[in-house]
Amino acid sequence: MPSAPASPPAPPPTPPVPLSALLARGDLGLVRLAGPEEADVHWAQVSEMADPLPYLLGGELLLTAGVQVPPSAGAAYFGAYVRRILEAGGAALGFGVAPVHDTVPGELVAACEAHDLPLLEVPRRTTFSAVARAVGELVARARLAELRRVAEAQRSLAAAASRPDPVPSVLRQLAAALGGWAVLFGPEGAVAGSAESSEDASAGASASASGGTSANASGGTPANASAGMSTGVSAGATVGVSPGASAGGPPAGFGARAGATGQEPRPAGPSRGTADLTAGRDPGARVRAALAELARVVRPGAPGSSAPGPSSATDTAGGAHLAAYGLGTAPGYVLGLATDRREPGDHTIASAASVLLTLLTGERGSGPDASWAAALVRLLLGRGPAEVAPLLGGERWTLVHARPDAGVPDAEAAAALGEALGSPLVDLADRVVRVLAPGGRPVERRAGWTLGVAEVTGPDDWPAVDDRAARALGRALATRSPLVRHGSGGRLADLLPPGEAEEHARALLAPIAGTPALPRTLRAWLSLHGSWDRTAVALSVHRNTVRQRIARCAALLDADLDDPDVRMELWFALRRLPD
């Protein structure tokens, strides 16, 4: 039984270049001989293989001089050759008339015309490398334009989210950026808000009076929007939403994408599959129903589903391109989009809007967020840590200092570590991640991280514990241990009266107490058995700095630091003094 033909590969993740833009390059002198006038070209590839399919990725302008064409080639040969290019997903064929052929073979022209493959003649004066360079330049320009459009849209969405009516504002900006209809479905599938961006196709329509693209939004049910709006679908084609249709549904067609993003309007050229629109039929109900059904696919806990659906889904209906994004909030909000075409950058813009809407539709006013906000307010008003700690989830805490084994920590990595340690209280500063974890949860090793762990304490001891956790991390880095816990002190020292021990320690270390770096360096150096390199790592200084500080300590203390008795006494003194 013959196998079904393989579908063409998906186009590469590069912005497409219109074939017309390449033909418009006067320096190339390319001439279209057959096939459609438009095609999306992603790059150029030279191949003289008789069967190019195994070597193409899709979306190429395939360039050939016909070296592989046998003298006896006829219509059958060229037909098979063109079909293989199409099977590989090739976008167009460029045939060079030198040095093998003086003209493009007529059978090749006929085959390309029959199979709708654009065929370009490359003149003698134009090299294939010049064509490839031109394609690369056009792709780079398209990519830059896409990045600018996405960046401008994201800035507009962020500004909209800060307005007094954030959800309708974000929907309006999104609709204007994509040139279509944006709708927010609530937990039960009802429309919680919608906005549309439209441009009247006729010269004297209301859109021209308002300056082009407009965005209309409703913050509640669709009944708040106006019906009967006519919008541009393609040049000279308009269609209105019937009075009986829901006014909050998408417009029958979608205009140029402009307005909120600040970019120049794009011509709304003919859309694929717009038969219903151009025939004057009302596609509004069909589009609304299809988008609502698509939203049910991504809504967690949808009726009849035993598991959460995908985070996003796409479809087409009535000539419109549909997309739905689950917002991830507990009630199950879904962002729906309907546009007349899909362009590079649309998914990125929609994803940014879905993130903002996720934050805006999340539960507020209760739960951990409210408690943490109350704790911050109390701290700002001068309350002590002891009064704030209960709002954070407990009175006993473990402070952890951490550094990744490779690279520099970022906010995402810090948040992931905090989640692993069971706490959202995370601070990232000076390449070190500090996590305030619940005291009742033991801190264990974490792959890819070096941890310094202080003892479990109450909030009154947090400032001192911070220094202990830092020293534990320094020791862990110096000894290449994945986790080091700060010790509680020696048992023999506890046999002495604390007052007398501290008095002796202060007197012994008085010559170096005025320079905090000296006792800190001496403590680290003694704890690491006199290793210059490990001490330098633990303190994040150069090893020569450690040598100079230790020499300074020896001079000021008038002590032989090579003597183990001296080292023992100094270590005892350093341990007795407060951190």
Side-chain angles (χ1 to χ4, degrees):
M1 179 178 181
S3 58
S7 58
T14 56
V17 173
L19 188 62
S20 57
L22 201 59
L23 291 170
R25 292 281 296 257
D27 57 322
L28 299 179
L30 302 178
V31 178
R32 185 180 65 86
L33 301 180
E37 296 181 359
E38 284 296 344
D40 290 337
V41 176
H42 292 266
W43 51 46
Q45 175 68 41
V46 179
S47 175
E48 300 295 346
M49 303 296 295
D51 182 8
L53 188 149
Y55 308 99
L56 300 183
L57 297 178
E60 293 95 346
L61 166 59
L62 181 63
L63 300 172
T64 179
V67 176
Q68 79 284 2
V69 178
S72 60
Y77 173 87
F78 287 111
Y81 179 70
V82 169
R83 285 193 297 271
R84 293 294 279 175
I85 295 175
L86 292 173
E87 289 178 23
L93 176 64
F95 195 93
V97 295
V100 181
H101 297 267
D102 294 330
T103 61
V104 180
E107 293 86 350
L108 178 59
V109 176
C112 289
E113 187 68 34
H115 294 284
D116 289 332
L117 177 67
L119 174 62
L120 311 182
E121 178 182 314
V122 182
R124 292 176 181 273
R125 63 180 177 85
T126 302
T127 63
F128 286 172
S129 60
V131 177
R133 183 171 62 249
V135 172
E137 291 173 356
L138 292 172
V139 168
R141 292 178 190 174
R143 180 60 174 166
L144 180 60
E146 174 190 338
L147 293 176
R148 287 176 175 171
R149 172 178 172 250
V150 169
E152 184 62 28
Q154 289 176 337
R155 284 193 293 268
S156 300
L157 290 169
S162 64
R163 294 173 185 166
D165 55 342
V167 171
S169 296
V170 169
L171 291 175
R172 283 194 295 268
Q173 292 293 343
L174 180 60
L178 300 184
W181 184 57
V183 58
L184 180 63
F185 293 102
E188 303 301 327
V191 175
S194 67
E196 64 186 35
S197 175
S198 61
E199 184 178 28
D200 201 322
S202 58
S206 61
S208 62
S210 62
T213 302
S214 63
N216 302 321
S218 64
T221 62
N224 296 329
S226 61
M229 178 183 297
S230 63
T231 56
V233 180
S234 60
T238 61
V239 61
V241 178
S242 63
S246 174
F254 310 102
R257 306 180 181 200
T261 61
Q263 64 189 46
E264 296 182 0
R266 307 173 193 171
S271 302
R272 289 181 296 234
T274 56
D276 286 348
L277 302 180
T278 56
R281 305 189 188 106
D282 174 21
R286 178 182 176 187
V287 172
R288 286 194 300 273
L291 191 55
E293 184 65 29
L294 195 64
R296 281 192 285 270
V297 173
V298 301
R299 180 180 293 110
S305 65
S306 58
S311 59
S312 63
T314 59
D315 199 358
T316 57
H321 295 272
L322 312 179
Y325 298 82
L327 299 189
T329 48
Y333 285 89
V334 175
L335 171 64
L337 299 171
T339 58
D340 69 339
R341 61 193 178 276
R342 292 193 182 116
E343 294 187 2
D346 284 2
H347 178 71
T348 304
I349 295 173
S351 296
S354 67
V355 171
L356 291 173
L357 291 172
T358 296
L359 298 175
L360 295 173
T361 57
E363 295 180 347
R364 293 292 184 266
S366 62
D369 285 351
S371 298
W372 298 335
L376 177 60
V377 170
R378 293 191 185 185
L379 283 176
L380 294 176
L381 296 180
R383 301 293 180 87
E387 298 184 40
V388 173
L391 294 174
L392 301 178
E395 298 182 358
R396 304 286 290 177
W397 298 84
T398 302
L399 183 60
V400 179
H401 280 218
R403 185 176 292 179
D405 296 340
V408 178
D410 55 21
E412 184 176 352
L417 177 63
E419 183 178 357
L421 297 178
S423 175
L425 303 176
V426 179
D427 177 43
L428 172 60
D430 300 327
R431 301 178 61 188
V432 173
V433 178
R434 297 190 296 180
V435 181
L436 199 59
R441 179 169 179 169
V443 177
E444 304 296 341
R445 298 180 179 182
R446 294 294 168 185
W449 290 90
T450 299
L451 307 180
V453 184
E455 64 270 26
V456 179
T457 60
D460 292 335
D461 295 329
W462 282 349
V465 166
D466 187 38
D467 188 57
R468 294 169 193 165
R471 290 205 306 272
L473 175 61
R475 184 175 179 82
L477 293 171
T479 58
R480 298 182 180 180
S481 301
L483 185 148
V484 169
R485 303 181 190 274
H486 186 272
S488 59
R491 295 293 180 262
L492 290 176
D494 295 337
L495 299 176
L496 300 177
E500 294 181 12
E502 291 183 9
E503 182 179 355
H504 172 73
R506 293 182 187 280
L508 181 62
L509 299 174
I512 63 174
T515 306
L518 294 181
R520 188 182 310 118
T521 303
L522 182 59
R523 180 197 293 267
W525 183 71
L526 292 173
S527 71
L528 295 168
H529 310 292
S531 171
W532 308 109
D533 293 332
R534 291 184 175 184
T535 305
V537 172
L539 298 178
S540 298
V541 298
H542 195 275
R543 66 194 307 271
N544 289 341
T545 302
V546 176
R547 286 183 177 273
Q548 293 171 2
R549 290 179 182 178
I550 296 301
R552 182 66 175 160
C553 290
L556 292 175
L557 295 172
D558 191 21
D560 181 8
L561 297 184
D562 291 331
D563 188 333
D565 290 334
V566 173
R567 290 193 183 191
M568 180 181 66
E569 186 174 4
L570 289 173
W571 178 250
F572 170 82
L574 290 166
R575 294 289 294 165
R576 297 308 301 174
L577 289 182
D579 295 327

